[in-house]
Amino acid sequence: MPTESTPALISNDIVGLGLIAATLALIFWLASGPTPFWRKVFTWVPALLLCYFIPAIYNTTGLIDGHGTKLYNPIARDVLLPAALVLLTLSIDLKGIARLGPKLLVMFVTGTVGIMLGALVSFQAMKLIHPATVAGDTWAGMAALAGSWIGGGANMAAMRETFNVDATTFGQFAVVDVVCASILLMPALIWLAGRAQAIDARNGADTSAIDDMKRRIADYQARSARIPTLTDLMIIVGVGLGVVGAAHALAAPLAAWCAANISFARQASLDNQFVWVVMLSTFAGLALSFTRARELEAVGASRVGTLFLYFLIACIGMQMDLLSLLERPWLFLLGAIWMGTHVLLLYVVGRLLKAPVFFLAIGSQGNVGAAASAPVVAAAFHPSLAPVGVLLGTVGYATGTVLAYITGLMLKWMAGA
């Protein structure tokens, strides 16, 4: 890493921005599978992981100074993150979700509860197995991971700032995230997709609701999809950044009022301006979902939000010290216990309800994978079901910040911090 005696090779933020943009472009181009070799590589190595770790390599080797740049704070943290939250939540269709059927909703909620419960179970279990693992600010890193596993990367980054998670701790939990969610859970669910019909028949599951969803989603796709115009893109960016501006304008007086009038404001981080920016942006996105603004999804609102998100992820990676990432191998056991609790609860509830395997899989990935991976798992069952993953994934984005925040407060209390 750069030090006072050995400054970073690149100290100009504009040059650094160009490097990050070019790096992300290269990662996504290679991930698109231009050759059979790269298609095979990205079958095993998630693009998201490289977006964290290639900038981390730049920082670790002294090419850039992640702590000395303004690319992360204030640009990525204070502008791109809340804008991503707005654009990833404004397309949510609560009425549409309600029509998907009660069993699917129950399984999705079960998956969410499983993540929150799993955080507490794994924290307590590691207290008994290896107390050093959950010492210090581990609880804060777990709160960030809860944001990812209930919602997505934007929620994880939001929790990172809300609870002031150290960049190295955040990086360690990013590795736990990839290993447990992308390398272990997701392939297992895709494997189940190929055997879903036989499993459902053996369990006596009713799959008629899935057939109805296929027809309804196919109709919606045919009605809504269109090529975005310059006006569409300008409106998307205007809505996202406009809400961010309003959120920042309101956050300062709200935080000051809470600090002066609420006794527990500091303990609940209600005196933190950034917390209010994140909350206001999320709730604004939800409010917009009840207006015509949610039609912006048809022209790529969530894609623009995801673009902002990946720049944010790369800027977070710029602050990591890779040499310290392998200092805490017990974190992987913590992640395994956490994920195991989530899966076990889904399995028990699924058997009681005789829910189809698809409901279990998407109930899990709608949380853990959010809108990025949930469609992949849904499409493994049937291509027309991919938007169901997007739909539930956006619910995860909408709820992830608030529920991860609650989980973080419970973990903080358990840690005695």
Side-chain angles (χ1 to χ4, degrees):
M1 290 183 64
T3 64
E4 291 184 4
S5 58
T6 56
L9 182 63
I10 296 175
S11 58
N12 187 314
D13 279 349
I14 299 175
V15 178
L17 176 62
L19 176 63
I20 292 300
T23 299
L24 291 175
L26 179 62
I27 291 170
F28 275 82
W29 179 69
L30 294 175
S32 69
T35 66
F37 170 77
W38 288 110
R39 282 195 294 273
K40 190 171 183 179
V41 167
F42 280 91
T43 299
W44 297 100
V45 181
L48 177 65
L49 184 63
L50 295 182
C51 292
Y52 277 118
F53 283 99
I54 291 181
I57 292 172
Y58 296 158
N59 182 57
T60 304
T61 58
L63 181 62
I64 60 176
D65 181 2
H67 292 282
T69 178
K70 294 181 179 178
L71 291 179
Y72 175 70
N73 183 11
I75 295 173
R77 189 194 75 162
D78 293 345
V79 179
L80 299 185
L81 169 58
L85 290 171
V86 173
L87 296 176
L88 291 170
T89 56
L90 64 77
S91 62
I92 190 170
D93 181 8
L94 296 178
K95 292 181 180 178
I97 293 172
R99 289 197 299 268
L100 294 178
K103 286 186 180 180
L104 178 60
L105 294 178
V106 169
M107 294 303 291
F108 176 77
V109 172
T110 299
T112 304
V113 173
I115 294 299
M116 297 178 73
L117 180 63
L120 307 182
V121 170
S122 59
F123 187 91
Q124 189 60 42
M126 293 309 298
K127 257 189 173 181
L128 301 173
I129 297 171
H130 193 260
T133 300
V134 291
D137 67 345
T138 299
W139 66 269
M142 292 178 69
L145 185 55
S148 177
W149 284 357
I150 297 174
N155 308 92
M156 185 178 190
M159 289 303 99
R160 190 248 178 172
E161 292 306 318
T162 299
F163 292 109
N164 195 28
V165 185
D166 175 75
T168 298
T169 301
F170 185 86
Q172 291 167 339
F173 276 98
V175 177
V176 174
D177 184 5
V178 170
V179 170
C180 293
S182 300
I183 298 177
L184 297 180
L185 179 64
M186 186 174 169
L189 295 177
I190 292 175
W191 179 84
L192 281 176
R195 293 151 184 82
Q197 188 173 357
I199 295 172
D200 289 337
R202 186 167 63 248
N203 293 338
D206 180 8
T207 61
S208 60
I210 297 176
D211 297 330
D212 180 59
M213 279 189 283
K214 292 176 186 177
R215 291 190 296 270
R216 188 165 58 245
I217 290 167
D219 291 342
Y220 174 78
Q221 284 181 316
R223 290 195 311 270
S224 64
R226 62 187 176 90
I227 299 173
T229 64
L230 176 61
T231 299
D232 293 324
L233 295 175
M234 197 67 74
I235 292 172
I236 289 171
V237 174
V239 168
L241 297 183
V243 170
V244 171
H248 276 278
L250 294 171
L254 282 171
W257 184 89
C258 289
N261 295 279
I262 300 177
S263 59
F264 56 88
R266 184 176 182 182
Q267 290 78 2
S269 299
L270 295 178
D271 61 343
N272 186 318
Q273 290 187 31
F274 184 79
V275 171
W276 282 106
V277 170
V278 168
M279 296 296 181
L280 289 170
S281 298
T282 301
F283 286 123
L286 284 172
L288 288 170
S289 73
F290 291 96
T291 71
R292 290 184 60 187
R294 81 180 192 85
E295 296 175 5
L296 290 172
E297 176 57 24
V299 289
S302 65
R303 289 177 183 167
V304 176
T306 303
L307 174 67
F308 290 164
L309 175 62
Y310 274 94
F311 268 96
L312 168 71
I313 288 168
C315 289
I316 292 173
M318 290 168 61
Q319 301 178 78
M320 292 184 195
D321 178 8
L322 287 178
L323 299 179
S324 64
L325 288 179
L326 299 179
E327 293 178 357
R328 302 173 68 188
W330 286 94
L331 286 179
F332 295 105
L333 178 59
L334 182 148
I337 295 171
W338 189 342
M339 190 61 71
T341 304
H342 164 74
V343 172
L344 179 61
L345 188 61
L346 277 168
Y347 174 78
V348 170
V349 174
R351 287 300 297 266
L352 291 174
L353 295 178
K354 293 187 176 180
V357 173
F358 172 70
F359 285 6
L360 184 151
I362 206 62
S364 174
Q365 281 296 294
N367 287 281
V368 177
S373 301
V376 177
V377 172
F381 286 83
H382 192 278
S384 67
L385 293 175
V388 178
V390 176
L391 193 62
L392 290 183
T394 57
V395 178
Y397 280 129
T399 60
T401 300
V402 174
L403 296 180
Y405 179 61
I406 294 170
T407 303
L409 292 178
M410 291 190 291
L411 288 167
K412 184 178 181 180
W413 175 77
M414 291 180 68

